[in-house]
Amino acid sequence: MDRLKSSARLMIVSDLDHTMVDHHDPENTSILRFNALWEAHYRHDSLLVFSTGRSPTLYKQLRKEKPMITPDITIMSVGTEITYGKSMVPDDGWVQFLNQKWDKGIVIEETSKFPELSRQAETEQRPHKVSFYVKKEKAEQVTEALNKVLKGRGLDVKIIYSGGIDLDILPQGAGKGQALAYLLKKFESEGKQPVNTLVCGDSGNDAELFSIPGVHGVMVSNAQEELLQWYAANAKNNPKILHASERCAAGIIQAIGHFKLGTNISPRDVSDLTKDIENAHPAHEVVNFNLLLEKWRRAEVEDTELFLAGLKAVAHPTGIFIHPSGTEHHIKDHLNILRKVYGDSQGKPLKIWVDDVSASQIGSDTWLLKFDKWELYGEERQGCVVTAIMSTKESNWFTWVHIHQTFLEQSGKQEWMF
Ligand code: GLC
Ligand code: MG
């Protein structure tokens, strides 16, 4: 993890299903609030880690279904697989470590003798994770019996029950907590231990995360019974753990405020973004600018002339805009095009978000920016890579000097991107 030259200001380690991702929120309100907060205020000096029970296959599927930003580190299959960066480079050291006292063949052989267990999909069977469904009433008894049998066969395993249905069998050294401890040790050896760490979860396989020394933790309001029971029995008096009153990602945002880990005002919570252009960081300008575009196209702008004047003020007089289709205009002229599309998505489910914003200062008043921009339009989405130059040369705020957009491969190349 060399993206940051020094310790992360904040490392968030979050579960996905029912924690970062709310499957009961078709508008994706809370995750989009989190995304904007993270990209505007944290991405440049902090680390985002997703820690999920999902296999790489189901994780990638979720990324297509929900507006998720890209984490710095992805921990999958209940802490048995760790990968780094956008290209998801696996941590081979972790795999080696997990081979101790583990034999998947024996686990499969012994579990087949339990009729209470029904095997999960093949994608969820991983080199260091064997997974089943089992009814709540049977879970405890089966876990006990399995522990005994597998110990008898010389294995050292960990059995985790989650969501009142899933039963995972892993090597003893695996799990979300162990994977986090491994990462923290790695950072420590590089002299880059995060200043603060916040772990976030909702179910049984997240419990371990909360027992890692020194971390803050949030159980989202919608946490499962098995996690709340674990908390009552093991961590009730730990002031560093919060049971949020808000669901999913809104609970994570709440915890950032509660533990005073940094700002928790998402640009999506700011009512008048046009008054918010004198920002401390160009990434914040990127987020605000794209949110303004979303509001414009949804016809959610009160004073349209004032709004256009605001956009004009952040456009460099000779700045150039290159559309993904290849057409090119002055940024100022592009604003005239924008005028025509006011409200083209009124009452429609358009959402715009940016991912993986990086900003590097390349001159005393010049910044080079790169980010992915996504538009979600109901079920359809399309994305482009944006490279841009911003300057503070002629004003106190960031002006756009150059914007170049290129379609991402995944996208459908529809015409509705601006
Ligand atoms: C995810 C995985 C599943 C696992 C569950 C609980 O749903 O897909 O295999 O059992 O998380 O860890
Ligand atoms: Mg979960």
Side-chain angles (χ1 to χ4, degrees):
M1 268 324 306
D2 327 313
R3 188 175 65 81
L4 303 184
K5 297 279 167 285
S6 52
S7 293
R9 175 165 56 102
L10 176 63
M11 177 160 86
I12 287 193
V13 182
S14 180
D15 169 52
L16 295 176
D17 294 288
H18 310 290
T19 302
M20 184 60 78
V21 173
D22 191 345
H23 292 284
H24 300 284
D25 174 15
E27 301 272 297
N28 301 306
T29 310
S30 60
I31 190 170
L32 287 166
R33 278 179 66 214
F34 178 85
N35 293 354
L37 175 67
W38 190 260
E39 296 296 341
H41 298 291
Y42 290 92
R43 175 71 79 178
H44 66 280
D45 65 357
S46 296
L47 287 174
L48 183 61
V49 181
F50 287 163
S51 186
T52 178
R54 290 182 180 235
S55 63
T57 307
L58 287 192
Y59 167 67
K60 285 172 192 161
Q61 190 173 317
L62 186 64
R63 291 194 64 81
K64 287 191 191 139
E65 291 163 8
K66 288 285 179 181
M68 292 161 64
I69 53 175
T70 308
D72 296 284
I73 304 174
T74 317
I75 302 172
M76 289 160 293
S77 312
V78 199
T80 63
E81 299 180 64
I82 302 176
T83 69
Y84 300 97
K86 216 173 199 167
S87 47
M88 300 181 67
V89 178
D91 187 321
D92 297 326
W94 183 240
V95 174
Q96 294 305 324
F97 171 75
L98 294 183
N99 283 332
Q100 293 168 32
K101 289 198 177 181
W102 174 253
D103 186 326
K104 192 177 165 185
I106 294 178
V107 176
I108 292 172
E109 184 191 326
E110 291 299 337
T111 48
S112 69
K113 299 174 190 163
F114 286 75
E116 301 91 335
L117 295 173
S118 64
R119 213 171 139 85
Q120 289 186 12
E122 272 321 298
T123 60
E124 302 315 282
Q125 313 300 338
R126 305 293 299 160
H128 299 96
K129 168 176 172 285
V130 185
S131 295
F132 301 91
Y133 299 120
V134 62
K135 289 204 181 109
K136 241 183 200 172
E137 313 82 75
K138 299 274 179 188
E140 225 179 287
Q141 172 211 327
V142 170
T143 303
E144 239 169 72
L146 270 173
N147 261 321
K148 211 182 259 166
V149 175
L150 292 171
K151 199 169 175 191
R153 298 280 316 255
L155 303 193
D156 196 7
V157 302
K158 183 182 272 179
I159 303 179
I160 304 178
Y161 194 58
S162 304
I165 178 82
D166 298 314
L167 186 126
D168 302 312
I169 307 177
L170 325 167
Q172 185 59 246
K176 290 187 176 189
Q178 299 294 104
L180 172 57
Y182 171 82
L183 287 176
L184 286 172
K185 210 166 134 200
K186 215 166 175 173
F187 284 128
E188 198 185 335
S189 71
E190 294 166 358
K192 293 206 285 196
Q193 217 171 16
V195 179
N196 281 301
T197 299
L198 173 66
V199 303
C200 321
D202 78 299
S203 86
N205 68 14
D206 300 315
E208 288 191 343
L209 287 171
F210 295 88
S211 52
I212 301 303
V215 306
H216 292 90
V218 55
M219 304 181 292
V220 290
S221 67
N222 49 294
Q224 292 276 335
E225 198 181 307
E226 76 254 347
L227 180 63
L228 297 174
Q229 272 168 7
W230 173 89
Y231 170 74
N234 301 285
K236 218 173 43 228
N237 299 319
N238 183 350
K240 287 184 136 186
I241 301 180
L242 173 71
H243 184 193
S245 59
E246 304 263 357
R247 289 179 60 79
C248 300
I252 301 176
I253 296 172
Q254 183 188 354
I256 294 174
H258 177 86
F259 295 121
K260 301 193 167 48
L261 302 175
T263 180
N264 73 338
I265 301 172
S266 168
R268 283 193 178 269
D269 302 333
V270 175
S271 57
D272 191 353
L273 287 168
T274 54
K275 293 208 183 83
D276 196 26
I277 56 171
E278 288 180 56
N279 299 305
H281 200 277
H284 191 173
E285 170 59 27
V286 166
V287 173
N288 281 3
F289 186 79
N290 283 286
L291 271 180
L292 283 168
L293 288 182
E294 178 190 296
K295 283 186 197 288
W296 179 260
R297 295 187 45 203
R298 291 175 62 110
E300 286 170 0
V301 171
E302 269 169 38
D303 185 338
T304 53
E305 286 312 313
L306 189 71
F307 177 94
L308 281 174
L311 283 188
K312 213 162 236 168
V314 297
H316 190 271
T318 57
I320 295 287
F321 174 90
I322 303 172
H323 186 265
S325 64
T327 54
E328 163 179 338
H329 323 272
H330 278 112
I331 298 176
K332 298 250 152 168
D333 296 336
H334 187 65
L335 296 180
N336 289 328
I337 299 172
L338 266 187
R339 201 182 265 278
K340 294 192 205 117
V341 297
Y342 181 70
D344 73 335
S345 298
Q346 190 170 12
K348 304 219 182 92
L350 172 75
K351 292 286 177 188
I352 300 179
W353 77 97
V354 293
D355 179 22
D356 202 18
V357 179
S358 78
S360 44
Q361 191 158 9
I362 55 170
S364 59
D365 44 26
T366 315
W367 296 74
L368 176 65
L369 286 117
K370 182 169 179 292
F371 54 95
D372 292 347
K373 169 178 144 177
W374 288 96
E375 294 192 357
L376 182 68
Y377 204 79
E379 300 280 286
E380 269 184 281
R381 69 159 75 174
Q382 68 175 350
C384 62
V385 181
V386 186
T387 48
I389 291 173
M390 274 186 184
S391 152
T392 49
K393 201 171 192 157
E394 275 136 52
S395 51
N396 300 325
W397 54 82
F398 290 102
T399 55
W400 295 83
V401 179
H402 190 84
I403 305 174
H404 191 159
Q405 303 192 147
T406 309
F407 276 125
L408 279 164
E409 225 183 303
Q410 300 99 306
S411 45
K413 302 197 185 195
Q414 290 89 341
E415 287 308 310
W416 35 267
M417 176 161 267
F418 286 89

